[in-house]
Amino acid sequence: MSVITLFFTSIGLSMDACAVSISNGMCYSKYNKKDILSTAFAFGLFQAIMPLLGFLAGSLFSEAVLFLDHWIALILLSIIGGKMIVEAIKEYKCPESCLTGDKRLTFKTLILQAIATSIDAFAVGIGFAVMKVNIIIAVLSIGIITFITSLIGSYLGKKCGEMFKQKAEILGGAILIFIGVKIFLEHTFG
């Protein structure tokens, strides 16, 4: 996997965390610098751990499905990206007010958000195992980029409001689908 492809995969995976960071910035009235850093750290950490776990799981059976690697990448990334786009469009059509009445982001809520936003990265980790991606570089890239986009998202949420949330999810989904198609085309015709 090229550096550019890994970069855009990392950006795509980070968009869920960015969107939740934006939402946190909008929804929690007492969302301070400590909360912003905690959010970015938790999201970056979980986004890095999940593809590693997926990679380890995928490594157990990667030899058996090696000839399907480009299909697996296309299907997984398209499903994940498509799910992100569909959820963003549903939310855009039926906007709901912030679901929490809390004034402060709790540790429990933050951990649940970090897990929820990183589940997709587990599936990508399986794809990484099949494609024999250098997992250390991939994990570092995904974790660092998620940390940065979550920081930016938290500040945007505080400053700019809800209009960016769905757009970030749609962009993230589109990037993941694009990467899946690119990998498929490279392996099929390259």
Side-chain angles (χ1 to χ4, degrees), residues 118-157:
S118 65
I119 289 172
D120 296 346
F122 180 83
V124 172
I126 294 171
F128 285 167
V130 171
M131 295 181 297
K132 306 262 189 245
V133 170
N134 181 329
I135 193 62
I136 301 301
I137 292 171
V139 163
L140 289 173
S141 174
I142 292 166
I144 291 168
I145 288 173
T146 301
F147 178 85
I148 292 168
T149 59
S150 295
L151 276 177
I152 293 168
S154 293
Y155 283 110
L156 282 175

Short mmCIF file of all heavy atoms in Angstrom, two decimals, residues 118-157:
data_model
loop_
_atom_site.label_atom_id
_atom_site.label_comp_id
_atom_site.label_asym_id
_atom_site.label_seq_id
_atom_site.Cartn_x
_atom_site.Cartn_y
_atom_site.Cartn_z
N SER A 118 -14.44 3.26 16.18
CA SER A 118 -13.27 2.51 15.71
C SER A 118 -13.59 1.10 15.26
O SER A 118 -12.70 0.39 14.79
CB SER A 118 -12.19 2.49 16.79
OG SER A 118 -12.64 1.78 17.92
N ILE A 119 -14.83 0.67 15.36
CA ILE A 119 -15.18 -0.69 14.95
C ILE A 119 -14.88 -0.91 13.47
O ILE A 119 -14.39 -1.96 13.07
CB ILE A 119 -16.64 -1.01 15.30
CG1 ILE A 119 -16.77 -1.16 16.83
CG2 ILE A 119 -17.12 -2.27 14.60
CD1 ILE A 119 -18.18 -1.29 17.32
N ASP A 120 -15.15 0.09 12.65
CA ASP A 120 -14.86 -0.02 11.22
C ASP A 120 -13.38 -0.27 10.97
O ASP A 120 -13.01 -0.96 10.01
CB ASP A 120 -15.28 1.25 10.48
CG ASP A 120 -16.79 1.48 10.53
OD1 ASP A 120 -17.53 0.55 10.89
OD2 ASP A 120 -17.22 2.59 10.20
N ALA A 121 -12.53 0.29 11.82
CA ALA A 121 -11.09 0.13 11.65
C ALA A 121 -10.66 -1.33 11.86
O ALA A 121 -9.66 -1.76 11.30
CB ALA A 121 -10.33 1.05 12.60
N PHE A 122 -11.42 -2.08 12.63
CA PHE A 122 -11.13 -3.51 12.82
C PHE A 122 -11.23 -4.24 11.48
O PHE A 122 -10.35 -5.02 11.12
CB PHE A 122 -12.09 -4.13 13.84
CG PHE A 122 -11.85 -5.59 14.08
CD1 PHE A 122 -10.88 -6.01 14.98
CD2 PHE A 122 -12.60 -6.55 13.42
CE1 PHE A 122 -10.64 -7.36 15.21
CE2 PHE A 122 -12.37 -7.91 13.63
CZ PHE A 122 -11.39 -8.31 14.53
N ALA A 123 -12.31 -3.98 10.75
CA ALA A 123 -12.50 -4.61 9.44
C ALA A 123 -11.40 -4.21 8.47
O ALA A 123 -10.90 -5.03 7.70
CB ALA A 123 -13.87 -4.24 8.87
N VAL A 124 -10.99 -2.95 8.52
CA VAL A 124 -9.90 -2.50 7.67
C VAL A 124 -8.61 -3.23 8.04
O VAL A 124 -7.81 -3.60 7.17
CB VAL A 124 -9.73 -0.96 7.75
CG1 VAL A 124 -8.48 -0.50 7.03
CG2 VAL A 124 -10.96 -0.28 7.16
N GLY A 125 -8.39 -3.48 9.33
CA GLY A 125 -7.21 -4.23 9.77
C GLY A 125 -7.17 -5.63 9.18
O GLY A 125 -6.09 -6.12 8.82
N ILE A 126 -8.33 -6.26 9.04
CA ILE A 126 -8.39 -7.58 8.40
C ILE A 126 -7.93 -7.45 6.95
O ILE A 126 -7.14 -8.25 6.46
CB ILE A 126 -9.81 -8.18 8.49
CG1 ILE A 126 -10.15 -8.50 9.94
CG2 ILE A 126 -9.92 -9.44 7.62
CD1 ILE A 126 -11.60 -8.90 10.17
N GLY A 127 -8.42 -6.41 6.29
CA GLY A 127 -7.98 -6.16 4.91
C GLY A 127 -6.49 -5.91 4.83
O GLY A 127 -5.82 -6.37 3.89
N PHE A 128 -5.94 -5.20 5.81
CA PHE A 128 -4.49 -4.95 5.84
C PHE A 128 -3.72 -6.25 5.93
O PHE A 128 -2.67 -6.40 5.31
CB PHE A 128 -4.12 -4.06 7.03
CG PHE A 128 -4.46 -2.60 6.87
CD1 PHE A 128 -4.41 -1.76 7.98
CD2 PHE A 128 -4.80 -2.05 5.66
CE1 PHE A 128 -4.70 -0.40 7.87
CE2 PHE A 128 -5.10 -0.70 5.53
CZ PHE A 128 -5.05 0.12 6.63
N ALA A 129 -4.22 -7.20 6.71
CA ALA A 129 -3.53 -8.49 6.86
C ALA A 129 -3.50 -9.22 5.52
O ALA A 129 -2.48 -9.79 5.13
CB ALA A 129 -4.21 -9.34 7.92
N VAL A 130 -4.63 -9.20 4.83
CA VAL A 130 -4.72 -9.87 3.54
C VAL A 130 -3.77 -9.23 2.52
O VAL A 130 -3.14 -9.91 1.74
CB VAL A 130 -6.18 -9.85 3.03
CG1 VAL A 130 -6.28 -10.36 1.61
CG2 VAL A 130 -7.07 -10.67 3.95
N MET A 131 -3.67 -7.90 2.57
CA MET A 131 -2.82 -7.16 1.63
C MET A 131 -1.37 -7.07 2.07
O MET A 131 -0.55 -6.47 1.40
CB MET A 131 -3.38 -5.75 1.42
CG MET A 131 -4.74 -5.74 0.76
SD MET A 131 -5.38 -4.07 0.50
CE MET A 131 -5.53 -3.44 2.15
N LYS A 132 -1.06 -7.64 3.25
CA LYS A 132 0.31 -7.63 3.79
C LYS A 132 0.85 -6.21 3.97
O LYS A 132 1.99 -5.91 3.67
CB LYS A 132 1.25 -8.43 2.89
CG LYS A 132 0.80 -9.83 2.59
CD LYS A 132 1.49 -10.80 3.49
CE LYS A 132 1.21 -12.22 3.05
NZ LYS A 132 0.46 -12.99 3.97
N VAL A 133 0.03 -5.34 4.52
CA VAL A 133 0.41 -3.96 4.80
C VAL A 133 1.31 -3.94 6.03
O VAL A 133 1.13 -4.73 6.96
CB VAL A 133 -0.87 -3.11 5.04
CG1 VAL A 133 -0.54 -1.73 5.57
CG2 VAL A 133 -1.68 -3.02 3.76
N ASN A 134 2.28 -3.04 6.06
CA ASN A 134 3.12 -2.85 7.25
C ASN A 134 2.21 -2.26 8.34
O ASN A 134 1.89 -1.08 8.33
CB ASN A 134 4.28 -1.92 6.95
CG ASN A 134 5.19 -1.72 8.14
OD1 ASN A 134 4.75 -1.75 9.29
ND2 ASN A 134 6.46 -1.51 7.87
N ILE A 135 1.82 -3.10 9.29
CA ILE A 135 0.80 -2.71 10.27
C ILE A 135 1.29 -1.63 11.22
O ILE A 135 0.50 -0.79 11.67
CB ILE A 135 0.25 -3.94 11.03
CG1 ILE A 135 -1.02 -3.58 11.81
CG2 ILE A 135 1.31 -4.53 11.94
CD1 ILE A 135 -2.17 -3.13 10.96
N ILE A 136 2.57 -1.61 11.53
CA ILE A 136 3.09 -0.58 12.46
C ILE A 136 2.92 0.80 11.84
O ILE A 136 2.41 1.73 12.49
CB ILE A 136 4.57 -0.85 12.81
CG1 ILE A 136 4.75 -2.22 13.47
CG2 ILE A 136 5.12 0.27 13.69
CD1 ILE A 136 3.96 -2.41 14.75
N ILE A 137 3.31 0.95 10.59
CA ILE A 137 3.16 2.24 9.91
C ILE A 137 1.68 2.60 9.77
O ILE A 137 1.28 3.74 10.00
CB ILE A 137 3.87 2.21 8.54
CG1 ILE A 137 5.38 2.12 8.75
CG2 ILE A 137 3.52 3.44 7.71
CD1 ILE A 137 6.18 1.87 7.49
N ALA A 138 0.85 1.61 9.42
CA ALA A 138 -0.57 1.86 9.26
C ALA A 138 -1.22 2.30 10.57
O ALA A 138 -1.98 3.27 10.60
CB ALA A 138 -1.26 0.60 8.72
N VAL A 139 -0.90 1.60 11.65
CA VAL A 139 -1.47 1.92 12.96
C VAL A 139 -1.04 3.32 13.41
O VAL A 139 -1.87 4.10 13.91
CB VAL A 139 -1.06 0.84 13.99
CG1 VAL A 139 -1.26 1.30 15.41
CG2 VAL A 139 -1.84 -0.44 13.74
N LEU A 140 0.23 3.65 13.23
CA LEU A 140 0.70 4.99 13.60
C LEU A 140 0.01 6.06 12.77
O LEU A 140 -0.42 7.09 13.30
CB LEU A 140 2.22 5.08 13.44
CG LEU A 140 3.04 4.31 14.47
CD1 LEU A 140 4.53 4.33 14.10
CD2 LEU A 140 2.83 4.88 15.87
N SER A 141 -0.10 5.82 11.48
CA SER A 141 -0.76 6.79 10.60
C SER A 141 -2.21 7.01 11.01
O SER A 141 -2.66 8.15 11.17
CB SER A 141 -0.67 6.30 9.15
OG SER A 141 -1.41 7.14 8.30
N ILE A 142 -2.93 5.92 11.19
CA ILE A 142 -4.35 6.02 11.55
C ILE A 142 -4.52 6.71 12.91
O ILE A 142 -5.36 7.59 13.07
CB ILE A 142 -5.01 4.63 11.55
CG1 ILE A 142 -5.06 4.09 10.12
CG2 ILE A 142 -6.40 4.67 12.18
CD1 ILE A 142 -5.39 2.60 10.04
N GLY A 143 -3.72 6.32 13.89
CA GLY A 143 -3.82 6.91 15.22
C GLY A 143 -3.51 8.40 15.25
O GLY A 143 -4.24 9.19 15.83
N ILE A 144 -2.41 8.78 14.60
CA ILE A 144 -2.00 10.19 14.59
C ILE A 144 -2.99 11.04 13.81
O ILE A 144 -3.40 12.13 14.28
CB ILE A 144 -0.57 10.33 14.02
CG1 ILE A 144 0.44 9.73 15.01
CG2 ILE A 144 -0.24 11.78 13.71
CD1 ILE A 144 1.84 9.54 14.44
N ILE A 145 -3.41 10.57 12.65
CA ILE A 145 -4.35 11.36 11.85
C ILE A 145 -5.70 11.47 12.56
O ILE A 145 -6.32 12.54 12.56
CB ILE A 145 -4.48 10.78 10.43
CG1 ILE A 145 -3.18 11.10 9.67
CG2 ILE A 145 -5.70 11.33 9.71
CD1 ILE A 145 -3.05 10.48 8.31
N THR A 146 -6.14 10.41 13.22
CA THR A 146 -7.39 10.48 13.98
C THR A 146 -7.26 11.47 15.13
O THR A 146 -8.19 12.24 15.40
CB THR A 146 -7.82 9.09 14.49
OG1 THR A 146 -7.98 8.22 13.37
CG2 THR A 146 -9.11 9.17 15.28
N PHE A 147 -6.13 11.45 15.82
CA PHE A 147 -5.90 12.41 16.90
C PHE A 147 -6.03 13.84 16.37
O PHE A 147 -6.75 14.67 16.95
CB PHE A 147 -4.50 12.19 17.51
CG PHE A 147 -4.15 13.16 18.59
CD1 PHE A 147 -4.55 12.93 19.90
CD2 PHE A 147 -3.42 14.30 18.31
CE1 PHE A 147 -4.24 13.84 20.91
CE2 PHE A 147 -3.09 15.21 19.32
CZ PHE A 147 -3.51 14.98 20.62
N ILE A 148 -5.38 14.12 15.25
CA ILE A 148 -5.39 15.47 14.68
C ILE A 148 -6.79 15.86 14.21
O ILE A 148 -7.26 16.96 14.52
CB ILE A 148 -4.36 15.58 13.53
CG1 ILE A 148 -2.94 15.47 14.10
CG2 ILE A 148 -4.54 16.88 12.75
CD1 ILE A 148 -1.86 15.26 13.04
N THR A 149 -7.47 14.96 13.47
CA THR A 149 -8.80 15.32 12.98
C THR A 149 -9.80 15.46 14.12
O THR A 149 -10.72 16.28 14.03
CB THR A 149 -9.33 14.30 11.94
OG1 THR A 149 -9.38 12.99 12.52
CG2 THR A 149 -8.47 14.29 10.68
N SER A 150 -9.61 14.70 15.20
CA SER A 150 -10.49 14.84 16.36
C SER A 150 -10.27 16.17 17.07
O SER A 150 -11.23 16.79 17.54
CB SER A 150 -10.30 13.67 17.32
OG SER A 150 -10.69 12.47 16.71
N LEU A 151 -9.01 16.58 17.17
CA LEU A 151 -8.73 17.91 17.73
C LEU A 151 -9.42 18.99 16.91
O LEU A 151 -10.11 19.87 17.45
CB LEU A 151 -7.22 18.19 17.74
CG LEU A 151 -6.38 17.66 18.88
CD1 LEU A 151 -4.91 18.00 18.63
CD2 LEU A 151 -6.83 18.19 20.22
N ILE A 152 -9.20 18.92 15.61
CA ILE A 152 -9.80 19.91 14.71
C ILE A 152 -11.32 19.86 14.80
O ILE A 152 -11.98 20.90 14.89
CB ILE A 152 -9.32 19.68 13.26
CG1 ILE A 152 -7.82 19.98 13.15
CG2 ILE A 152 -10.11 20.53 12.27
CD1 ILE A 152 -7.17 19.51 11.86
N GLY A 153 -11.88 18.64 14.80
CA GLY A 153 -13.33 18.48 14.88
C GLY A 153 -13.92 19.06 16.15
O GLY A 153 -14.96 19.72 16.12
N SER A 154 -13.24 18.84 17.26
CA SER A 154 -13.73 19.39 18.54
C SER A 154 -13.77 20.91 18.50
O SER A 154 -14.76 21.52 18.93
CB SER A 154 -12.83 18.92 19.68
OG SER A 154 -12.94 17.54 19.88
N TYR A 155 -12.72 21.52 17.97
CA TYR A 155 -12.70 22.97 17.86
C TYR A 155 -13.75 23.48 16.87
O TYR A 155 -14.42 24.49 17.13
CB TYR A 155 -11.30 23.48 17.48
CG TYR A 155 -10.34 23.46 18.64
CD1 TYR A 155 -9.28 22.56 18.68
CD2 TYR A 155 -10.49 24.33 19.72
CE1 TYR A 155 -8.40 22.54 19.76
CE2 TYR A 155 -9.61 24.32 20.79
CZ TYR A 155 -8.57 23.42 20.80
OH TYR A 155 -7.70 23.40 21.87
N LEU A 156 -13.90 22.77 15.75
CA LEU A 156 -14.93 23.16 14.78
C LEU A 156 -16.32 23.08 15.40
O LEU A 156 -17.16 23.95 15.17
CB LEU A 156 -14.88 22.27 13.54
CG LEU A 156 -13.80 22.58 12.52
CD1 LEU A 156 -13.82 21.54 11.40
CD2 LEU A 156 -13.97 23.97 11.95
N GLY A 157 -16.56 22.01 16.16
CA GLY A 157 -17.86 21.85 16.81
C GLY A 157 -18.17 22.99 17.74
O GLY A 157 -19.30 23.49 17.78
#
